[in-house]
Amino acid sequence: MLLEISVENVALIEEATLELSPGLNAITGETGAGKTLLATALQLLLGGRARSEAVRAGAERATVEGTFLLPEAAGPEMLADALGDLAEEVDAEDGLVLRRTLTGEGRSRCYVGGVSVPVRALGALGERLVSYHSQREQARLTEPAEQLEILDDFLTGEALEARLDHEELWRSVERDRRELAEVRASGEARLREADFLRFQIGELEAADYSTEEADNLARERDRLRNVTDLQQAAAAATAALASEEGGGAVDSVARAQGELETALRFDPGLSGLLERLAGLSAELEDVLYELRSYVEELEADPARLETVEDRMAALRALERKYGDVEGYLEDARARLSRLENLDEETAGLEARLAEGELRLEELAATLSKGRRKAAKRLAKKVQENLAGLNLGRTEFRAGLVPAEPGPKGRERVEFEIRPNPGEPELPVRRYASGGELSRIMLAIRLAQERVEPGATYVFDEVDAGIGGETATAVGAKLRQLGEKNQVLTITHLPQIASEAASHIVVAKEETRGRTITRITRVTGEDRLKEMARMLSGRIDDASLAHASELLVRK
C-alpha cells in the first residue's frame, strides 16, 4: 500500500506531498489541471521511462519519493526477487521508501530504502507494488497473451501444476529437438572429424610425448653441451677435497681428527667433537668418491647430443601444434569415443525426446481440461460483476481456440462478448468500446482469485465514455475492489468520487508569474464544494445540495 508520495519539480507540480488512505482514493480536478501528472510521477517513481521534459522548467532536477507499506508475509520475498543481494541492505520495517531523481539532462538516480539501485530493479519492484491501468493499458486486455495469463490465474490443483511443468518440460524438449537435428545434419562432418582425430591421436601416440621426458632431455642436452666446463669444475672440486700435496679438505679433517685423539687422553669431554669429525671425514670421503666417478664418466658425445636435440625438436614441434600435448590427447580420445558411439547417443536422444513429447501431450491434456473449467468459472464471475456495472445484458465468454503447441500449451484464449441478446458474439478486441473495456477489465480484476498482496491499483480515467447509473455502478465496484487492495482512480465523475475513502483535488493556478499545479486532500466543506463543481460545473445552493445528498447516500 502507498502511504505517502512527495513530488517536486515534475512538470507543473512545484512541490506536493500527499498522504493516501487504504481503500479507494479518488483524484479529481478540472480538465487540464494536471490530474494525470500525479500518475506520471508515480510511474516515474516505479521505474517508468524518464524524460528530461518531465523536469519543471527552470529547475535543476525533479524528485519523486514514495513510502510503501509492504505485506509482512510477502515483503521480504518481494524485495529479494526485485533487488537480489541488495535487499539485505534495505530496511523496510517502518515503510519502504522509494526515491528517484531526474536531471534536466536526462540523468536518473534511483534509491530503495536509501540504497542506490539500477532502474531495472526499481521497475521490477514497481511491478509488484502497483498495477497501473490507463486507456492504453486497457488495450492489453485484447491481446491473446494477456487473456491467457488472466485465464490461467483461475487454474487450480493438477492443472496449475501441469501449466508450470509443461512450460519447463517444453524448454527441455526443444533443446533435445535442436540437438537431435544438429546430430542428424552434421553426420558427414562428424565422420570427417573422426578421421582427423584418429590421425592426430595416432601421431601423438607414435611420438610417445611426455613432459617428464622433455624435462630430462633438456637437462641432458645442457650437460652434453657444457661437458668441458663440467669436467674442469668437477676436477677443481676434487682437488679441493684431496690433493697430492695433502692440502685438501679430507687431509685437513684427518689431521684435526688425529690432534683430538691425542687431546682426548687429557680431556674425555672431547669425545663428542671427535665423533662428529669422524662422521664429517666419512661424508667427505663419500663425496670425493662420487666426484671422481662423475669426472671419469664425463666425456664429449657429439652423436648423443645430436640425438637429444633432434628428439627435443620433435617434442617442441608437437607443443607448438597442440599446445598442452598430453591434455589435447586426452580430449581427442574422449571426443573420438563420443563420435564413434554416435549411433548409441542418437538412439538415446531419440528415446528421451519421445518420452518428453509423450509427457508433454499428457500435461497439455491436463492443462486443457483445467482451462475449460477455469474458463467457466472466470466467465461466471465476470458475468456477475458486469451485472453490477450496468452491463447486465452483456454476455461474456472465455473461449478456447486450438493453436500451434507451444510452451504454454496447445490453445489460446479469446475473450468474447455479446452486448445484447440476439446480436452476434464477437471478440472483445473487435467489439468493445473504450468504456466497455474499462468495465470489463474492472470486472475481471474483481473476479481474480489470486491478488498480489499489498498491490495498489491505479485506474487512469476508468470512467471514459460512461455516466449516470453506469458511473454509480463503476464507483461501487471500485470501492468493492478497494476492500481488498488500495485503489487510486483519476475520474471526472462525482458518482465515482463519492465512493472514495479519500478525495484528492488537483488544481492549476498562477503564482509569481508561473503556472503551478496544486494537489490537495479535501474533506468536509472543501470536498462538498468539489463534488458540487463536478456535478454542475459551478458551486451554488442547488449543486451543493445535490452534492450533499450524494455524499450522504454513501
Side-chain angles (χ1 to χ4, degrees):
M1 183 177 74
L2 178 59
L3 300 176
E4 181 181 274
I5 183 170
S6 297
V7 184
E8 184 177 352
N9 294 324
V10 174
L12 295 179
I13 303 176
E14 186 176 51
E15 185 177 0
T17 297
L18 185 63
E19 293 183 2
L20 296 165
S21 302
L24 177 60
N25 296 260
I27 302 170
T28 67
E30 293 185 0
T31 301
K35 298 185 295 298
T36 304
L37 287 179
L38 191 59
T40 300
L42 184 58
Q43 285 183 303
L44 185 67
L45 177 64
L46 298 172
R49 184 177 178 183
R51 301 176 183 272
S52 58
E53 55 265 30
V55 180
R56 180 173 169 78
E60 292 184 2
R61 62 175 53 83
T63 302
V64 185
E65 184 175 289
T67 303
F68 289 83
L69 181 64
L70 299 183
E72 293 183 7
E77 180 183 351
M78 184 184 299
L79 286 175
D81 289 345
L83 305 182
D85 294 339
L86 290 175
E88 299 178 2
E89 304 177 31
V90 175
D91 181 10
E93 185 174 350
D94 298 323
L96 181 67
V97 179
L98 275 59
R99 186 168 183 265
R100 189 174 186 187
T101 62
L102 175 65
T103 67
E105 293 78 27
R107 293 191 299 273
S108 174
R109 295 292 300 274
C110 306
Y111 303 87
V112 175
V115 178
S116 179
V117 301
V119 68
R120 63 178 179 276
L122 198 64
L125 188 57
E127 290 178 358
R128 304 288 296 274
L129 292 171
V130 173
S131 179
Y132 189 85
H133 305 278
S134 64
Q135 289 293 312
R136 184 177 62 185
E137 291 295 319
Q138 288 165 20
R140 291 177 54 197
L141 187 63
T142 67
E143 297 175 2
E146 180 71 10
Q147 293 181 0
L148 186 62
E149 287 296 322
I150 291 172
L151 175 63
D152 283 353
D153 189 43
F154 284 78
L155 294 174
T156 58
E158 290 184 1
L160 180 59
E161 293 179 6
R163 182 189 185 279
L164 301 175
D165 292 345
H166 185 281
E167 192 163 353
E168 182 178 353
L169 181 58
W170 177 273
R171 290 193 292 267
S172 176
V173 167
E174 279 294 285
R175 285 194 298 270
D176 288 344
R177 286 169 178 160
R178 288 193 297 271
E179 186 175 351
L180 184 59
E182 290 173 2
V183 167
R184 290 170 174 167
S186 61
E188 292 186 9
R190 290 193 174 207
L191 289 174
R192 290 194 298 271
E193 183 183 0
D195 288 340
F196 185 57
L197 286 172
R198 291 189 191 96
F199 167 77
Q200 290 182 318
I201 292 170
E203 182 182 37
L204 292 174
E205 289 178 342
D208 195 24
Y209 175 95
S210 76
T211 54
E212 182 180 1
E213 180 192 10
D215 292 341
N216 291 337
L217 287 173
R219 287 192 291 271
E220 184 178 1
R221 178 199 59 190
D222 291 342
R223 187 168 62 250
L224 290 170
R225 283 180 175 179
N226 300 282
V227 66
T228 302
D229 292 338
L230 288 171
Q231 287 173 334
Q232 291 175 353
T238 301
L241 289 174
S243 64
E244 295 180 359
E245 292 78 14
V250 173
D251 298 323
S252 297
V253 172
R255 285 197 297 273
Q257 189 177 1
E259 294 295 338
L260 279 181
E261 287 176 349
T262 301
L264 187 63
R265 292 179 296 174
F266 307 108
D267 185 358
L270 294 172
S271 61
L273 290 175
L274 184 60
E275 289 178 2
R276 291 167 62 187
L277 274 177
L280 182 58
S281 177
E283 183 67 21
L284 286 174
E285 289 286 355
D286 287 344
V287 171
L288 179 60
Y289 175 80
E290 291 182 18
L291 267 176
R292 284 172 175 165
S293 298
Y294 179 78
V295 171
E296 290 175 359
E297 292 174 359
L298 274 176
E299 60 177 336
D301 189 346
R304 176 56 184 170
L305 178 59
E306 183 179 359
T307 300
V308 168
E309 290 185 332
D310 288 346
R311 175 60 174 167
M312 287 191 65
L315 296 182
R316 294 292 180 261
L318 291 175
E319 291 172 352
R320 288 192 298 271
K321 185 175 181 180
Y322 296 104
D324 176 9
V325 178
E326 292 173 318
Y328 187 91
L329 178 59
E330 182 179 353
D331 291 343
R333 286 169 173 162
R335 176 67 176 163
L336 179 60
S337 175
R338 186 182 176 194
L339 290 174
E340 290 176 338
N341 291 285
L342 183 59
D343 291 342
E344 182 179 341
E345 179 186 348
T346 302
L349 191 57
E350 289 172 341
R352 190 172 73 213
L353 182 57
E355 182 180 351
E357 289 176 336
L358 179 61
R359 178 58 180 155
L360 275 178
E361 282 293 319
E362 295 172 353
L363 290 172
T366 302
L367 181 54
S368 297
K369 182 179 178 181
R371 279 175 172 158
R372 286 192 291 272
K373 293 180 179 178
K376 292 179 181 178
R377 278 208 329 277
L378 169 62
K380 181 180 178 182
K381 287 196 171 187
V382 172
Q383 195 71 51
E384 292 171 355
N385 290 328
L386 287 175
L389 289 168
N390 208 25
L391 286 173
R393 294 172 65 84
T394 297
E395 296 179 13
F396 175 88
R397 188 174 75 90
L400 296 179
V401 182
E404 189 71 21
K408 296 186 182 298
R410 59 190 182 190
E411 61 268 321
R412 60 181 178 86
V413 66
E414 183 78 78
F415 289 172
E416 298 174 329
I417 62 169
R418 179 181 285 122
N420 297 290
E423 294 185 16
E425 189 177 71
L426 292 173
V428 168
R429 57 186 165 81
R430 292 178 52 191
Y431 200 102
S433 67
E436 287 172 326
L437 272 179
S438 299
R439 284 180 281 169
I440 291 171
M441 177 267 298
L442 182 57
I444 291 171
R445 292 302 179 202
L446 288 165
Q448 282 182 298
E449 298 176 349
R450 285 186 290 275
V451 179
E452 183 72 52
T456 295
Y457 287 106
V458 179
F459 293 92
D460 189 354
E461 300 192 3
V462 71
D463 54 13
I466 63 173
E469 293 182 4
T470 301
T472 301
V474 170
K477 287 298 182 180
L478 285 172
R479 176 172 49 78
Q480 182 182 338
L481 181 60
E483 293 171 2
K484 296 189 293 183
N485 286 72
Q486 184 186 48
V487 178
L488 276 65
T489 181
I490 298 171
T491 181
H492 291 281
L493 300 179
Q495 296 96 321
I496 292 177
S498 66
E499 297 283 357
S502 175
H503 192 154
I504 297 121
V505 175
V506 179
K508 188 185 294 184
E509 63 182 54
E510 289 189 15
T511 179
R512 300 187 303 276
R514 295 288 302 276
T515 300
I516 64 172
T517 292
R518 297 270 186 214
I519 301 175
T520 310
R521 181 174 178 176
V522 293
T523 58
E525 190 69 22
D526 291 332
R527 185 181 188 189
L528 186 64
K529 290 179 180 178
E530 172 63 11
M531 293 291 296
R533 181 200 65 77
M534 296 176 71
L535 283 163
S536 66
R538 63 183 183 275
I539 301 174
D540 54 23
D541 290 343
S543 62
L544 286 171
H546 189 181
S548 178
E549 181 183 355
L550 188 61
L551 288 172
V552 168
R553 285 206 305 264
K554 307 305 179 186

